[in-house]
Structures are given as C-alpha cells and as structure tokens.
Amino acid sequence: MSENQTALQQPTSPDDEINLLDLMIVLAKHKKMIMLVTFAAALLAVGYSLLMPNIYTGTAKILPPQSSQSSSVNAIMLAQLGGLTGAAGAALGLKDPNALYLAMLKSRNIMEKIVRRFDLQTVYEAKTMTDTLNALEKESTISSSKDGVIVVEVDDNDPQRAAALANAYIEELNKLMQTFALTEASQRGQFFENQMKPAKDKLTDAEITLDRTPNTSLQYMDALRNLRYQEGIYDILARQFAAAKLDEAKDSPLIQILDNAIPPEKKSKPKRSLIVILATLAAFFLAVVWAFIKEALTRSKSDPEQDARLQELRQVFRWSR
C-alpha cells in the first residue's frame, strides 16, 4: 500500500476539523459587537447617501454623415485637425468613421467652446481652464454603439443643464463640421477657378485658329476638333466651379440627430439603496472577521504553544517595520 493511500486512511484529528457549533458560539458570543457595527455602518451609509447631491444625465444620440456626404469632408478634417489625427485617419483608412467624430467631440476645440458658453469655470468652481476641461471631461461620456449610433451623456446636478450640455456637444460638432465643409468647398472653388483661366485662354486660341483656317482644308477639321475639346474642358471646369460655389452656400446640417437630450425626470445617481446595502454587508463581514480574530487571540493566551506563535508573529511584524 502506498504512502498516499495510507495517509488517506488515517482519521482526521478532531482538532483539525472545523466545528460549525464552535463557529456559531463565537458569533453568538460577539453578537452585540457585530450587530452594533453593522447597524452603525448602515446608519452612516444612509446619512452619507442622503448628503450626496442628485445627479442627472442628459443623453443625446446622433448618426455621423454617411458615405458620399462625408467623404470629401473627412479628407479636409483629417488635414486640419493636425498631423497626429491625420496619421490616425490614414492608418484607419476611414473604415471606422465614428472614431473620427468621437475624437472631434472629445477635442479641446469643442470642449472649450462649451465651457465658455455655459461659464462652467464658475459652475465647477475651477481655478483654471485646464481644471474646468478636466471636470467637464469627467462628467461627459461619449461613446459609439455597435449599430453606429454616437451617444453623448453628460452628468450634472441640474437636469436642465445636463440636457443643454449634451445638446451643446452636438451643436458644436455640427458647427465645426460645417466650417470644415465650407473650407473644403472654398478650396475646390478656388482650384477650379484657377483652372478656368488657362482653359478659357486655350478656348479663345482655338476659336481664333478655327476662324483663320479655311473650312475646306484638313487643318480646319483638326481646329474644329480642338475647339470642341477645349469647349468640353472649359464646360466641365465651369460646372465643377458652380457646384463648389453651391456647396459653399449650403447651410444644412451635416449630422443626423436621432434624439435630442431632454431634461431627465429621474436622477441617475447616487444609487442610495445600493450604497447602504454594500456598506452594511461590508461592515457585517468585517465585524464577523474581527470577532473570530478576537476569539483566536483570547484562546491563544490560554495555550502556551499558540501564545508563543503569536509572540513570534508580533516580533516578525516589528522587525518588518
């Protein structure tokens, strides 16, 4: 028979067994302390939770521009938001357009405008703009859901301001995108306008050449074809220039708002009942642990061997200091 089998067959010492009755006796012996600590923790948790101000969450939801509507705007935004953002956009290949709009919503550009618009430095009682921006960032949650919806949530102790702040993010994003779109249209307009001048000169030259060429010669057919070609080039450039000017004159929203934030009727936090329950359970657990520790210390004094071990443990803790 192996040593392992022999060990399994040996009866367990009664001293090594955990006696449920002993545990119950310890709990009963220290029940007053356990109940007092638990009740006191519950009262403190209730008082603390009641002192905490109600926090309300304003929530707004949007869809970013889709496909062709945003392709040209994305290119100009990547160029104007800075080298790092441009590099990130190039790396992403714009496969996740929401990432770009999330970055814009969290940008200092938009957040500073919101801070000034609502005088948040006074509201948050912050000393500097940086502290105010950090406070606003802490109270704001901006995320993208799996279905592509961008959700903006802002916490505040005023339900009206919570909704207004969430909507302000969307409004400032829309203004920023309109600025980018306007810049892109202006750049296109300037480009086509610059190309139209040499095209116009070539068209004039082709008309003069055609007028000076006898219509019975082969050179006349070449001149006529060249004139039509130059007319086609100039017409394309003129159409593109007109389209750019039309885009520049547009003032339509670039994002689709699914839900505007409205003042919430119910608070989002604090969850007072949860705070009280967790604090009560934690106090009860700690009180029970302390009861067993205290009982073990009391019994060790009557057991020389256990008392020696306890003294050794205390000595080790002193040395570790």
Side-chain angles (χ1 to χ4, degrees):
M1 183 178 295
S2 65
E3 295 181 0
N4 292 337
Q5 292 176 337
T6 303
L8 291 174
Q9 291 178 356
Q10 292 179 353
T12 304
S13 173
D15 295 336
D16 296 333
E17 295 180 352
I18 298 178
N19 194 316
L20 181 60
L21 182 60
D22 289 340
L23 297 180
M24 297 299 295
I25 291 174
V26 172
L27 293 178
K29 184 177 179 180
H30 299 278
K31 65 179 183 298
K32 290 184 178 180
M33 183 272 293
I34 295 174
M35 294 176 62
L36 181 61
V37 171
T38 303
F39 183 69
L43 286 180
L44 289 174
V46 170
Y48 175 75
S49 63
L50 290 176
L51 291 175
M52 297 175 67
N54 291 336
I55 301 298
Y56 301 87
T57 302
T59 304
K61 298 180 180 180
I62 63 169
L63 279 177
Q66 303 297 314
S67 60
S68 60
Q69 182 187 9
S70 61
S71 58
S72 60
V73 179
N74 284 340
I76 197 68
M77 284 192 294
L78 290 175
Q80 295 189 16
L81 282 176
L84 181 60
T85 308
L92 291 172
L94 293 179
K95 293 181 180 179
D96 183 14
N98 281 15
L100 177 60
Y101 300 107
L102 290 175
M104 293 175 66
L105 284 166
K106 298 176 183 179
S107 68
R108 186 183 182 95
N109 188 336
I110 285 181
M111 293 182 68
E112 278 189 356
K113 292 178 180 178
I114 295 175
V115 166
R116 294 190 177 94
R117 179 174 167 182
F118 292 91
D119 192 19
L120 293 182
Q121 191 163 345
T122 301
V123 174
Y124 294 152
E125 299 180 350
K127 295 182 179 180
T128 64
M129 173 61 74
T130 300
D131 293 338
T132 310
L133 291 173
N134 291 336
L136 177 59
E137 183 179 8
K138 182 179 178 181
E139 301 298 336
S140 305
T141 302
I142 302 172
S143 59
S144 176
S145 62
K146 294 181 180 180
D147 53 4
V149 176
I150 295 178
V151 182
V152 178
E153 297 176 312
V154 184
D155 294 336
D156 198 276
N157 55 14
D158 183 346
Q160 301 288 339
R161 187 167 55 225
L165 287 171
N167 288 329
Y169 270 102
I170 307 305
E171 294 166 5
E172 294 300 333
L173 173 64
N174 198 27
K175 292 177 183 178
L176 186 61
M177 291 181 61
Q178 286 180 347
T179 301
F180 287 145
L182 182 61
T183 303
E184 187 269 343
S186 301
Q187 290 180 351
R188 282 192 293 118
Q190 186 64 43
F191 171 78
F192 290 120
E193 186 176 13
N194 293 338
Q195 296 298 315
M196 285 174 65
K197 187 178 185 304
K200 179 65 175 178
D201 294 339
K202 291 181 180 180
L203 178 59
T204 302
D205 293 341
E207 291 174 345
I208 294 173
T209 301
L210 182 63
D211 290 339
R212 293 177 179 178
T213 304
N215 58 7
T216 57
S217 62
L218 294 176
Q219 288 81 1
Y220 180 83
M221 298 301 297
D222 292 337
L224 181 60
R225 281 194 294 268
N226 182 50
L227 176 62
R228 291 175 178 173
Y229 173 76
Q230 297 300 334
E231 287 177 342
I233 294 296
Y234 185 81
D235 182 64
I236 292 174
L237 293 174
R239 289 175 182 271
Q240 292 296 328
F241 176 73
K245 286 299 182 181
L246 182 62
D247 290 342
E248 190 174 350
K250 286 182 179 179
D251 190 24
S252 58
L254 295 171
I255 56 178
Q256 302 173 5
I257 301 177
L258 292 181
D259 293 314
N260 277 313
I262 59 175
E265 298 179 353
K266 296 182 179 180
K267 66 178 179 65
S268 56
K269 53 187 177 182
K271 300 184 182 301
R272 293 185 172 88
S273 58
L274 181 61
I275 292 175
V276 173
I277 291 173
L278 291 178
T280 303
L281 291 177
F284 175 77
F285 175 77
L286 292 175
V288 169
V289 171
W290 173 244
F292 283 112
I293 293 176
K294 186 176 182 181
E295 185 69 18
L297 293 174
T298 302
R299 292 184 180 182
S300 66
K301 294 180 180 180
S302 60
D303 187 339
E305 183 179 355
Q306 293 293 333
D307 186 59
R309 290 181 179 180
L310 180 60
Q311 295 299 330
E312 182 180 356
L313 179 62
R314 291 175 177 173
Q315 193 68 23
V316 169
F317 274 111
R318 289 175 184 174
W319 287 346
S320 63
R321 293 178 183 177

